[in-house]
Amino acid sequence: EMSEMSERSKQNVAHGLAWSYYIGYLKIVLPRVKKLMEEFSRANPNVLACRETWKLHILVPLSCDIYDDLDRADSNIQYVTDLTETTLTRAGTKNRVYKHSLYAIRDEDNKLWHCAVEYATPLQTLYAMSQDECAAFSREDRLEQAKLFCRTLEEILKGSKECAGTYRLIVYEGSGEAETHFLSRIILWNLRQQYHEEYALCEGNQLHNPSMSLSSTELNLQISESDLPQPLRSDCF
């Protein structure tokens, strides 16, 4: 009876997606990220200057709007190359390939900031469910499940020692349809924040917060200021 109640209220959707994403993907790739970044940096010493950004930047839009091509979504985002592939045999699939793409983000001064960035792919499932009549999954359900997915994923990663310092969750609200460079501004804000964390620049050079639907206070609650993200507050949404 409890299982049926949970199924009807869809309480288990996001929880399962978060654990599947961690066990089936993040736990595999994140411990290798810094090594891959270091390899790339040795071959390209002037590209990844800030070691604090040697992480996988995971985009988590609460709207679940995901673009397959980041450089088409925002002209200030340019694909550079793929980092070295990780090849493993998993669940009967020989030589399964895991890889991350490196992007250059152009700022307002035409400077390029480089980082590995990708979306949290389980959000595509939540979006697809809200579009499928068989799932009986409303937009309100999708938003609540997106929040739950984010909170669950944060808690999982906070407890994972092997993943510490290898990722950065970039949680935001809105799809950016009204602003041409919405996505690049969000990524740049995070890269600048990490740059300041590493080099401890003086207070006179404050970060420029992107103009988004969330206030700066709400944004700080959702985007971690350290290697491990801080807990989300559900009353912000």
Side-chain angles (χ1 to χ4, degrees):
E1 183 179 354
M2 291 297 295
S3 178
E4 290 179 359
M5 291 175 60
S6 178
E7 191 69 32
R8 284 196 299 269
S9 63
K10 303 177 181 66
Q11 293 175 354
N12 57 345
V13 175
H15 187 266
L17 286 175
W19 272 103
S20 177
Y21 185 45
Y22 170 69
I23 296 294
Y25 181 63
L26 296 182
K27 191 175 182 180
I28 298 170
V29 302
L30 287 182
R32 297 173 170 84
V33 165
K34 286 191 180 292
K35 180 181 178 181
L36 298 178
M37 290 287 195
E38 187 174 0
E39 290 176 357
F40 182 86
S41 183
R42 283 200 298 267
N44 304 271
N46 298 322
V47 176
L48 296 173
C50 178
R51 295 182 68 91
E52 186 66 24
T53 63
W54 290 12
K55 304 170 184 176
L56 181 60
H57 296 75
I58 304 172
L59 299 173
V60 187
L62 296 180
S63 65
C64 296
D65 283 342
I66 290 179
Y67 297 93
D68 290 327
D69 294 314
L70 293 177
D71 39 9
R72 291 188 179 182
D74 189 324
S75 59
N76 280 347
I77 302 176
Q78 302 171 10
Y79 168 77
V80 177
T81 188
D82 290 330
L83 297 177
T84 303
E85 298 177 349
T86 296
T87 304
L88 299 172
T89 296
R90 295 274 297 177
T93 300
K94 295 290 186 180
N95 301 320
R96 177 169 291 181
V97 174
Y98 300 86
K99 66 179 181 180
H100 310 293
S101 296
L102 192 71
Y103 288 89
I105 318 298
R106 189 180 302 277
D107 66 15
E108 61 275 7
D109 298 320
N110 220 32
K111 176 184 175 181
L112 295 179
W113 302 65
H114 296 82
C115 68
V117 60
E118 60 189 50
Y119 283 102
T121 52
L123 295 180
Q124 287 183 313
T125 299
L126 290 179
Y127 187 86
M129 288 179 66
S130 69
Q131 303 298 307
D132 194 318
E133 293 182 359
C134 296
F137 201 75
S138 68
R139 292 185 61 182
E140 291 74 18
D141 290 331
R142 185 181 74 196
L143 178 58
E144 289 305 312
Q145 291 300 307
K147 297 175 189 175
L148 180 57
F149 169 82
C150 186
R151 289 194 294 268
T152 304
L153 184 60
E154 275 195 321
E155 290 302 316
I156 294 171
L157 288 172
K158 282 173 65 177
S160 175
K161 294 181 179 180
E162 60 265 50
C163 294
T166 63
Y167 68 92
R168 190 174 183 93
L169 294 183
I170 303 179
V171 185
Y172 61 94
E173 191 171 18
S175 61
E177 294 180 356
E179 185 180 346
T180 305
H181 300 303
F182 177 84
L183 192 57
S184 61
R185 284 163 66 86
I186 293 173
I187 299 172
L188 280 170
W189 188 88
N190 275 267
L191 294 177
R192 284 168 169 158
Q193 189 181 43
Q194 292 172 87
Y195 185 92
H196 282 237
E197 286 171 2
E198 176 164 332
Y199 294 101
L201 297 182
C202 64
E203 293 183 0
N205 295 324
Q206 291 297 317
L207 303 178
H208 175 67
N209 290 345
S211 57
M212 293 177 282
S213 58
L214 298 178
S215 69
S216 59
T217 302
E218 292 169 330
L219 187 64
N220 284 333
L221 289 172
Q222 294 185 75
I223 302 179
S224 100
E225 296 186 5
S226 61
D227 289 345
L228 293 177
Q230 302 301 313
L232 287 176
R233 280 178 46 191
S234 59
D235 60 346
C236 292
F237 306 105

